[in-house]
Amino acid sequence: MKKMVLSLLVDNTSGVLSRVAGLFSRRGYNIDSLSVGVTEDPQFSRMTVAVSGDDRILNQIEKQLLKLEDVKSITQLKDGESVCRELLLAKINVNSEQRQQIISLADVFRAKVVDVSVDSVMIEITGNVSKIEAFITLLDGFEIGEMVRTGLTGLTRGKN
């Protein structure tokens, strides 16, 4: 199964997210990751959608998205030709001995400690998917109280 990351430029109007997500659900396609935000032009939003499937399914997804009236353009974000990032916030339950271990681990990954309390440490880490996954793997053995990921976002390299 292949993975594909698409950057969609869409109208910044109500219901666009619902229509795009509805296209996937109606056809039984799964969205691996989805992030949306307004662009430099407030008339448009950019959606970053990560999907997986065989060549036929991925080709069909692109074709169906282009048929939506709200979708102005689609760019495939390919490895080496684009920069993709994700944000993770993790609240790790710790005792006084574990606190320094978590802070040291965060330093290795260039993560930020954004909150410290008596019984937890909150870490913010930004990077590509493999960096985020590696960090989560190293948290094995610690109790993760809560965790949230933003989903992938990205842009192509160089000038438009």
Side-chain angles (χ1 to χ4, degrees):
M1 192 173 312
K2 292 183 177 180
K3 293 185 182 253
M4 179 171 67
V5 180
L6 299 173
S7 178
L8 284 64
L9 187 65
V10 298
D11 289 328
N12 185 17
T13 57
S14 62
V16 174
L17 177 58
S18 177
R19 286 187 285 281
V20 170
L23 179 142
F24 283 85
S25 65
R26 283 190 306 276
R27 287 163 180 76
Y29 301 144
N30 188 42
I31 297 173
D32 298 331
S33 172
L34 173 69
S35 64
V36 185
V38 70
T39 66
E40 67 285 354
D41 182 344
Q43 288 183 305
F44 301 105
S45 290
R46 184 164 310 279
M47 291 183 164
T48 306
V49 184
V51 294
S52 44
D54 60 28
D55 287 331
R56 185 186 62 78
I57 289 173
L58 296 177
N59 191 29
Q60 191 65 26
I61 288 171
E62 263 190 282
K63 286 180 181 177
Q64 293 296 319
L65 285 169
L66 278 170
K67 288 182 181 180
L68 293 177
E69 204 173 294
D70 301 306
V71 176
K72 301 305 171 196
S73 69
I74 298 176
T75 304
Q76 188 173 343
L77 301 179
K78 297 178 182 176
D79 284 339
E81 298 175 13
S82 60
V83 176
C84 292
R85 294 289 185 261
E86 185 174 4
L87 169 72
L88 166 89
L89 283 176
K91 189 186 308 179
I92 300 114
N93 299 331
V94 294
N95 58 37
S96 58
E97 297 165 4
Q98 296 171 317
R99 185 176 296 108
Q100 190 54 49
Q101 290 175 313
I102 293 295
I103 292 170
S104 296
L105 185 61
D107 287 343
V108 168
F109 279 83
R110 294 187 186 134
K112 295 178 187 171
V113 176
V114 292
D115 186 59
V116 177
S117 70
V118 174
D119 55 2
S120 71
V121 175
M122 189 180 303
I123 303 294
E124 170 191 315
I125 182 169
T126 305
N128 60 32
V129 173
S130 60
K131 177 181 178 180
I132 302 294
E133 294 290 340
F135 182 74
I136 292 169
T137 300
L138 290 177
L139 289 178
D140 190 35
F142 295 99
E143 182 185 345
I144 299 174
E146 291 181 85
M147 185 172 79
V148 65
R149 294 171 76 162
T150 60
L152 216 48
T153 191
L155 292 173
T156 56
R157 292 181 183 272
K159 195 172 180 179
N160 306 348

